[in-house]
Amino acid sequence: MGVLMSRRQTVERVQKVSLAVSAFKDGLREQPSTRRRAEAGTARQGTLEQEVQEGEEEALAGPSQPEESSASKAAWERLRDGRGVEPEEFDRANRFTPPAFIRPKRELHDDEPPDISLEQREQIVNDEMCEICEVWTAESLFPCRICHRVYHDGCLRRMGYLQKDSAVEVTETAHTETGWSCYYCDNLNLLLTEEEMYSLMETLKNCKIIPESCLTLDDFLHYKHQVHKQQFERTMPEAKEEQAALQFNALDPDKKGHIEWQDFLSHESIQLLQKIRPQNALLRLLTPKERERARAAFLALDQDNDGFIGEGECRQARHTWFRKHQKEMLSCNVSISHVGPISEGSPASSRNGKSPEKILPATKQEETRSIDWPGFLRENVAYILAARPNSAALHLQPLA
């Protein structure tokens, strides 16, 4: 696994090598040495100067397009390195050093079907110590609803991952059934490999998308039209445009008229994963907590315990259990090993007779088609992954 080196890191490396070359030259002038030492110094000098030249060429190398502003370049670097948005006005005093995000690599066996049993439950165990400071302080730790990590709110602030607006959200939801996703799980873009990330960046650049900017409906539709034309070499049909408009509305739950950059990036990341990776590879991305939630959902829908559910019930799970949940739930004291969020509209709570949305009745064809446990996982895995971010936006709109 390798860490992507940003352009800023490359320039810093070149500067360090340049200082070493200057110091070496000064030493040669001030202290005359023997012929042998001079020859060794000349060889060393040539090596360092060559490294400086290579570093400068690497730092200056870039796509052959109009010169970008420094802010835009920094935004592309953050996107490439998976570091997210880092506003320049952020107070970095007393801040912890952020972790180096390591993008995953595809393994040879990724495309093989994973063994996820329906009957065998998985034990959910969270870490006992804060992921950042590695200190145990029991109830003051905030668990991630997706992975095993736990955090202190103070550590999250010093890392820059907990701003004023999100501090209350974490405090109120981390110990509720809604749950809270840590900064690893909240960023769907970190699921992409280096190759997949470069492919996405190339698409965004070709479509003139400005990183870390908000997109209006016109911007979003224009982008979708360009992507469709580049991929299929024909105009996007009207039905696809209507579907894209529905997706925009799902990404803009507050009806602000635009979608945030992080929501757009998460949507494009999950779309790319669906397009490039087979479903078996996506299933391997699920965490034990997500698999346990999927088991609970399937068992709640399988009323006759025959191991099959109808297609309409599978679609119902897609529209309720694996969708984003509104932050309207009251706080409750639950174990930090809780498997994840449960909404009133989830299959697990369907016996209460309360549902926040009206589910369309299943057609006869849906009622006759049966889906087993592996099929249920394959058809819903993308929606499970898309439900990871804390944002109220629906990053993958289920088809009607």
Side-chain angles (χ1 to χ4, degrees), residues 327-340:
K327 305 162 187 175
E328 299 174 352
M329 306 193 67
L330 298 176
S331 176
C332 61
N333 294 322
V334 295
S335 169
I336 64 172
S337 62
H338 183 69
V339 297

Side-chain angles (χ1 to χ4, degrees), residues 40-55:
T42 304
R44 178 61 177 163
Q45 175 182 339
T47 303
L48 289 174
E49 289 179 337
Q50 182 179 5
E51 187 172 355
V52 170
Q53 183 178 0
E54 293 176 354

Side-chain angles (χ1 to χ4, degrees), residues 134-148:
E134 298 183 350
V135 173
W136 178 80
T137 49
E139 294 301 323
S140 63
L141 290 170
F142 295 100
C144 174
R145 67 184 176 91
I146 305 298
C147 67
H148 55 82

